[in-house]
Amino acid sequence: MAHLESMRYRKQPGANGGHDEATVISGMSSAATGTPTPLDSDDAYGADRAAGLNSDLGYSYEKKDLDFSSSNNNTLAPFATGDRQHQRFSISRNQWLTLGFIVLAAAYVRLWRLSNPGQVVFDEVHFGKFAGKYLNGTYFFDVHPPLAKMMFAAAGKLAGYDGVFDFKTIGLDYISAGVPYIGMRLMPALLGLAMVPITYITLAALGHAADACALGALLVCFENALLTQSRLILLDASLIFFTGLTVMFWALFFTESHRPFGNRWWGYLLLTGANLGNALSCKWVGLFLIATIGVWTLKDLWEKLGDLSITPAQYFKHFVARAIALIVVPVIVYLFWFQVHFSVLHKSGDGNAFMSPEFQNTLKGVNLGHTPRDVYYGSRVRIRHDATNAGYLHSHLSNYETGSKQQQITLYGFRDDNNYWILTRTEADEEAHQNSTNPQELQQIKNGDIVRLMHWRTHRRLHSHNERPPMTTNDYQNEVSGYGWEGFSGDSNDHWRVQILEGDSKIPDSKKKLMAIHTKFRLIHVNQRCALFSNRKKLPKWGHEQVEVSCMKSAKFPKTLWRIESNVNEKIPKSAPLAEYRRPSLIEKVLEATAVMWRVNNGLTKSHPYESRPHTWPWMRRGMAFWGADNRSIYLLGTPIIWWLSFGTVVIFAGVQVVLFFRDRRGFRDRLLGARERYMESVGFLSIGWVLHWIPFFLMGRQLFLHHYLPALWLAILALVGSIDLFTRRLSRKVRQVIMFALLLATVRMYFQYSHIAYGSSWTREGCERSKWLKSWDYDCYRFPEMSAKAPVAPALKPNVPEIPMPTMGAPDIGGQPVAIMRNKNGEVVANAPPPAQNFDPLEHENKLNEPAPEIHQDHLNSNSAKLDLEMKKKATTVEPANNAAGSDEHVAGEH
């Protein structure tokens, strides 16, 4: 946009037509002092006009610029620079009045029947529930940053929501529960409404004419997908709102190009950065917005580098200003909203299991306490798996039903006595120690020591051998079991070498000696050369649904790291140093939360009936069901003509740029009717933004949905309007207005046609079927009644209606999902019913893994003790070798 300041439009003397109140690019009014600048004598476009171009239009073109101006000379105050006058960006009174009427129309469109439906819709299941947790202050975890969710909590608080209603499933009734859901939906509806004036001002700041600005605002007003998404308790309305604010302030920033480092210049630049941070704080899709602004910033700085009128000192100031506003400010905003998030969610909650003990220690209701720091032989310890937070190394009086059928070793989330292990020496080391001069002296365990771990309750030792685990049957993983009985001294398969990998930088010895909490270590099996490992796979019911523990060769470090959380030894003096989990700083907490969000996001690979891939979005191959009941439904589907034309606009822009590139290489200098520079600076910026909001989704393997395309759609709509504006200026005013009016009329027509599935209002089956331009649009028309009472009526597809039989699965539909074939009582096919609306639960898998295993009845297990001892002794005499040293020379990757 660095060239924007050189562009202006002018009205020719004597012209009596044209578009009044035309907004100029970079805030430069075509109105100067009333004396127009004459056309260059070699102006080829002036010759075109003299040859018969519509004289009533009042446009003229220069070799460099497209000029188009208003006759109003009093709109803006001029700002003189040399012999040229640069005027501040402004919008005339007539434009404000026009925008006011458009906003009134948009308010009706966005707010009409906001109370419908009075039930939980789609992902209101999650975001409504999260609002309640904010109000209650209980910590939860979500895959998205917190700002949009906190905005819903604030709206709920203002509306009177008490945080009790749980939003558990789609279809739960709001009205009977007294939930002030309208107030909570009002917030995204107002943000969606605000996108209308944001669109107008953005187009105006990009230099487009007033009628084009009005057209863009109206297209956004009547676009059905943006409408649907902004009427519900969903995050995308907030994301799109802050995306719109960012682009608007960025465009306004360039209107101050001739006044660098002025108050407005700084204001628009800082507001751009602040809203970058806000967008990122709603959803990580905001990263694509940062990329968009970043690419254009680099382009702008590159062009300034070649501007010899800018001194090195000035260039450095430009660079630093952008670095502060577009890097530092977004980071500060992102951290600020997380600080608010952590401050509000100060109580222990169901999100604890996702976070580290240090993080949990900052929550009210969590008291991990302190413990003696130094770990000695003979200490009774509780060992936590560090990477998964799935619990403690655990055993109990139950045997495996596969493999060796020895005693189970698991991870267990509850704290009980079965989590305690006694650290002892090997047989030879114990004998040597007893023969030493001071056998009663405490000896601290060091890096490289070989130890045995005896289960405190059952007296069986931690053991591994060449048997496959029950759940992970890979040949590079061994079973870990509890082995031994009273009077049995153990064998070498009980030997584990302590390998310290991390310690506390404030306690240097924690990297050499084993310490509670501060030391992170691995246990390497001496014979099998494998590392004690867990990856959160759960055992079946015979394993009490606890998490499997195995011994893995060549295992990655994170899932083989352990920490001692509790350390008990009667011989440790009371004055010995203590260890406790420290409280992390804000940045450490944000980094940890971000890392967990990243991990969970990457794991969202489970299928969903309405997921879709990015290549299907621009032409809207398929929408997605949000809600359905009786003869009404809500289905996310956009306005076809807007989606298809806006996508075509971006494709045409790319094609034009390719053609111009090769023609430039051949020596041609095409001006595109005088609009080339503005086409690149306006439509080019928007098109690059569209690409950067669409292409990255191709790199994601997680579940994706149509609503992920909406920020890119908004940018494409602006690009569409900008292209229409630039390339209809040489047409007559009537033709130009006919084109714009035709597009608007088609958009409004489609708005009414598809409003039934946007508002969840009643419809007819015939109207529904006629609206399906693509067979892949699978909203359920058999849900709606037929128009004619005489026509045979197929049964409506109502949820939980007993007379409708269960569907059978047919061939996959165009979206790759199987189609449910509905049959009537006579077995005749009634309809291919689409899948019902389902919410998307990104934490379903994680919550199952984090769900604590059921507590065990120890009395029942203790009764098995003698029987298990007998079975183990028999097994030892026939199967278990006295010294299973197979593979003892194997190398464990990562030990060096």
Side-chain angles (χ1 to χ4, degrees):
M1 290 184 179
H3 294 309
L4 295 183
E5 63 269 20
S6 68
M7 301 182 183
R8 63 190 186 280
Y9 11 111
R10 243 182 6 262
K11 188 170 183 178
Q12 294 306 300
N16 50 19
H19 302 277
D20 291 338
E21 315 294 354
T23 307
V24 294
I25 203 157
S26 298
M28 296 169 55
S29 171
S30 56
T33 60
T35 305
T37 305
L39 287 175
D40 295 340
S41 59
D42 58 348
D43 185 0
Y45 297 108
D48 289 342
R49 183 179 181 275
L53 189 66
N54 270 292
S55 60
D56 63 332
L57 188 57
Y59 308 154
S60 71
Y61 303 89
E62 294 184 10
K63 184 177 294 184
K64 183 177 181 182
D65 311 314
L66 171 64
D67 280 3
F68 178 74
S69 72
S70 168
S71 59
N72 187 346
N73 297 331
N74 301 315
T75 304
L76 304 172
F79 184 91
T81 302
D83 59 349
R84 300 184 61 184
Q85 291 183 336
H86 305 290
Q87 301 178 348
R88 289 192 181 277
F89 170 81
S90 182
I91 296 179
S92 70
R93 179 183 177 186
N94 289 343
Q95 287 180 284
W96 282 120
L97 289 174
T98 301
L99 180 56
F101 286 117
I102 294 174
V103 169
L104 288 177
Y108 177 81
V109 170
R110 299 288 172 144
L111 304 179
W112 184 71
R113 298 191 67 183
L114 195 59
S115 61
N116 184 58
Q119 298 177 0
V120 176
V121 177
F122 188 49
D123 277 353
E124 290 185 336
V125 167
H126 305 300
F127 305 125
K129 175 180 65 178
F130 292 154
K133 290 185 179 294
Y134 277 114
L135 296 180
N136 297 324
T138 54
Y139 186 77
F140 68 91
F141 173 79
D142 182 41
V143 296
H144 301 297
L147 176 55
K149 299 187 288 287
M150 290 192 294
M151 293 170 68
F152 282 118
K157 180 70 173 178
L158 293 173
Y161 175 47
D162 56 8
V164 174
F165 187 76
D166 60 6
F167 295 84
K168 191 173 184 179
T169 58
I170 294 176
L172 276 183
D173 188 66
Y174 285 133
I175 299 173
S176 61
V179 180
Y181 69 101
I182 299 176
M184 298 178 73
R185 286 180 180 172
L186 181 62
M187 189 272 291
L190 292 176
L191 297 184
L193 172 61
M195 287 303 297
V196 173
I198 286 173
T199 300
Y200 190 104
I201 296 171
T202 301
L203 286 169
L206 289 172
H208 295 289
D211 51 358
C213 299
L215 175 65
L218 288 168
L219 294 185
V220 170
C221 168
F222 290 106
E223 205 292 309
N224 288 79
L226 295 175
L227 166 67
T228 304
Q229 198 72 18
S230 67
R231 290 171 49 84
L232 303 169
I233 306 173
L234 305 174
L235 302 186
D236 293 88
S238 301
L239 171 67
I240 296 169
F241 171 73
F242 289 118
T243 298
L245 280 182
T246 301
V247 174
M248 182 185 75
F249 285 122
W250 184 242
L252 289 171
F253 166 70
F254 276 95
T255 67
E256 294 293 311
S257 296
H258 288 293
R259 290 160 287 272
F261 310 109
N263 290 339
R264 289 193 185 185
W265 188 93
W266 272 112
Y268 291 144
L269 184 59
L270 291 172
L271 286 170
T272 299
N275 284 289
L276 278 175
N278 288 334
L280 184 60
S281 300
C282 290
K283 295 181 78 171
W284 278 355
V285 176
L287 288 170
F288 307 154
L289 183 62
I290 291 176
T292 301
I293 301 300
V295 166
W296 220 252
T297 298
L298 293 175
K299 174 183 178 295
D300 179 45
L301 289 173
W302 178 256
E303 291 172 346
K304 280 182 168 51
L305 188 62
D307 188 347
L308 299 181
S309 66
I310 298 177
T311 66
Q314 291 173 329
Y315 184 84
F316 180 74
K317 287 176 63 178
H318 277 285
F319 179 86
V320 171
R322 286 158 175 79
I324 292 173
L326 303 180
I327 299 177
V328 177
V329 170
V331 170
I332 291 175
V333 170
Y334 187 76
L335 292 175
F336 170 76
W337 290 123
F338 264 101
Q339 176 60 49
V340 176
H341 169 74
F342 295 140
S343 298
V344 175
L345 301 180
H346 62 284
K347 301 178 185 176
S348 175
D350 55 19
N352 291 22
F354 291 91
M355 313 311 293
S356 68
E358 287 88 347
F359 189 103
Q360 295 181 38
N361 205 32
T362 65
L363 299 173
K364 183 178 179 181
V366 176
N367 183 16
L368 299 178
H370 54 260
T371 191
R373 187 190 70 184
D374 299 330
V375 180
Y376 301 96
Y377 285 105
S379 292
R380 175 162 50 94
V381 297
R382 186 165 58 214
I383 305 174
R384 174 190 282 271
H385 192 236
D386 189 65
T388 62
N389 296 317
Y392 304 94
L393 188 65
H394 178 92
S395 189
H396 45 242
L397 285 170
S398 288
N399 286 3
Y400 292 120
E401 293 193 0
T402 63
S404 69
K405 298 189 177 180
Q406 295 174 8
Q407 186 166 298
Q408 298 170 10
I409 302 295
T410 64
L411 290 184
Y412 187 53
F414 292 101
R415 296 181 184 178
D416 67 12
D417 289 345
N418 277 327
N419 299 335
Y420 280 109
W421 299 82
I422 299 174
L423 297 171
T424 64
R425 301 176 181 86
T426 63
E427 303 94 319
D429 289 346
E430 182 62 32
E431 183 178 353
H433 180 71
Q434 291 300 324
N435 294 328
S436 66
T437 57
N438 189 4
Q440 300 302 318
E441 182 183 7
L442 287 171
Q443 182 181 357
Q444 189 170 358
I445 299 173
K446 304 183 297 297
N447 182 39
D449 284 0
I450 297 176
V451 302
R452 295 187 294 174
L453 291 87
M454 185 176 71
H455 191 242
W456 185 56
R457 287 288 297 267
T458 65
H459 304 290
R460 292 184 170 87
R461 294 180 178 88
L462 189 70
H463 184 92
S464 187
H465 43 215
N466 192 22
E467 292 275 357
R468 301 288 75 76
M471 303 304 294
T472 310
T473 58
N474 302 315
D475 58 3
Y476 51 81
Q477 287 192 264
N478 291 342
E479 177 191 85
V480 176
S481 64
Y483 184 67
W485 53 88
E486 187 175 355
F488 178 64
S489 60
D491 60 33
S492 62
N493 279 335
D494 303 335
H495 293 180
W496 301 83
R497 186 171 69 254
V498 176
Q499 184 184 53
I500 295 176
L501 294 182
E502 296 181 25
D504 192 327
S505 59
K506 297 180 180 179
I507 307 175
D509 281 352
S510 62
K511 297 180 181 179
K512 301 175 183 178
K513 298 178 180 180
L514 190 61
M515 296 183 181
I517 295 178
H518 301 304
T519 300
K520 295 182 181 181
F521 63 94
R522 301 208 299 172
L523 290 172
I524 307 298
H525 194 264
V526 173
N527 287 344
Q528 295 296 323
R529 300 282 179 169
C530 54
L532 194 66
F533 169 89
S534 179
N535 63 354
R536 303 175 80 199
K537 287 192 175 181
K538 286 198 171 186
L539 295 169
K541 288 190 179 296
W542 57 257
H544 309 286
E545 300 180 40
Q546 296 179 14
V547 177
E548 179 187 59
V549 173
S550 64
C551 193
M552 185 175 181
K553 300 173 183 177
S554 302
K556 295 181 179 180
F557 288 145
K559 294 185 179 180
T560 59
L561 289 183
W562 303 81
R563 273 202 287 186
I564 292 174
E565 186 173 282
S566 178
N567 175 27
V568 179
N569 192 320
E570 290 76 7
K571 295 182 180 180
I572 297 177
K574 293 183 179 179
S575 59
L578 301 177
E580 63 180 345
Y581 288 112
R582 64 182 182 83
R583 293 176 177 266
S585 65
L586 170 63
I587 293 179
E588 289 173 323
K589 291 172 71 175
V590 172
L591 289 176
E592 178 179 343
T594 300
V596 178
M597 290 157 58
W598 180 267
R599 174 179 64 80
V600 176
N601 261 303
N602 287 337
L604 300 179
T605 56
K606 183 180 177 181
S607 62
H608 186 281
Y610 286 99
E611 66 178 306
S612 56
R613 299 308 301 172
H615 68 276
T616 68
W617 297 342
W619 56 286
M620 201 169 57
R621 188 179 74 175
R622 189 179 186 222
M624 58 187 302
F626 276 8
W627 172 85
D630 299 327
N631 62 342
R632 297 176 297 150
S633 69
I634 294 180
Y635 184 94
L636 182 68
L637 190 75
T639 304
I641 192 170
I642 293 180
W643 284 57
W644 298 340
L645 288 179
S646 61
F647 174 55
T649 297
V650 178
V651 172
I652 291 171
F653 172 82
V656 168
Q657 296 308 307
V658 170
V659 171
L660 290 177
F661 173 79
F662 286 107
R663 286 181 60 82
D664 287 349
R665 297 294 294 174
R666 298 293 295 171
F668 298 96
R669 292 295 180 264
D670 301 295
R671 297 301 306 157
L672 295 183
L673 306 180
R676 179 170 178 175
E677 288 189 6
R678 187 173 303 171
Y679 186 53
M680 180 60 195
E681 302 299 334
S682 174
V683 179
F685 166 67
L686 298 167
S687 297
I688 288 175
W690 178 90
V691 169
L692 293 174
H693 278 77
W694 182 56
I695 295 297
F697 286 109
F698 286 91
L699 306 177
M700 300 182 188
R702 56 151 291 177
Q703 293 169 331
L704 297 171
F705 300 92
L706 184 66
H707 61 76
H708 287 120
Y709 181 69
L710 295 183
L713 172 68
W714 180 74
L715 292 168
I717 292 173
L718 268 64
L720 167 64
V721 174
S723 298
I724 292 173
D725 174 40
L726 293 178
F727 294 107
T728 60
R729 289 189 174 184
R730 298 196 68 184
L731 303 176
S732 69
R733 181 176 185 177
K734 291 182 180 179
V735 172
R736 173 184 166 96
Q737 291 182 343
V738 165
I739 292 173
M740 291 185 174
F741 184 75
L743 175 57
L744 177 60
L745 186 63
T747 299
V748 174
R749 172 68 182 85
M750 291 179 190
Y751 155 74
F752 282 108
Q753 184 175 21
Y754 296 104
S755 63
H756 306 281
I757 53 176
Y759 294 117
S761 57
S762 59
W763 206 2
T764 64
R765 190 176 306 170
E766 292 83 356
C768 178
E769 292 289 356
R770 285 195 302 269
S771 71
K772 287 189 174 183
W773 293 10
L774 299 180
K775 292 181 180 180
S776 53
W777 294 354
D778 55 353
Y779 43 91
D780 185 6
C781 288
Y782 273 79
R783 181 180 299 278
F784 304 105
E786 291 183 326
M787 184 180 300
S788 173
K790 297 180 181 181
V793 179
L797 304 183
K798 302 179 182 180
N800 304 319
V801 179
E803 64 268 22
I804 299 297
M806 292 298 292
T808 58
M809 302 312 292
D813 67 5
I814 196 167
Q817 298 293 334
V819 177
I821 301 176
M822 303 302 296
R823 302 178 183 273
N824 60 21
K825 295 180 180 179
N826 299 324
E828 299 169 339
V829 175
V830 175
N832 289 338
Q838 295 183 24
N839 63 283
F840 167 56
D841 188 356
L843 300 180
E844 180 181 5
H845 177 67
E846 293 288 328
N847 285 330
K848 286 181 180 179
L849 292 176
N850 290 334
E851 185 179 34
E855 295 195 57
I856 299 174
H857 299 290
Q858 296 296 336
D859 293 340
H860 173 71
L861 292 180
N862 290 338
S863 65
N864 294 331
S865 180
K867 179 181 177 182
L868 295 178
D869 278 350
L870 182 61
E871 289 178 355
M872 198 170 295
K873 290 177 184 178
K874 290 180 179 179
K875 185 80 173 177
T877 60
T878 58
V879 178
E880 184 75 21
N883 185 6
N884 184 2
S888 60
D889 294 330
E890 296 178 23
H891 175 71
V892 180
E895 287 188 50
H896 55 282

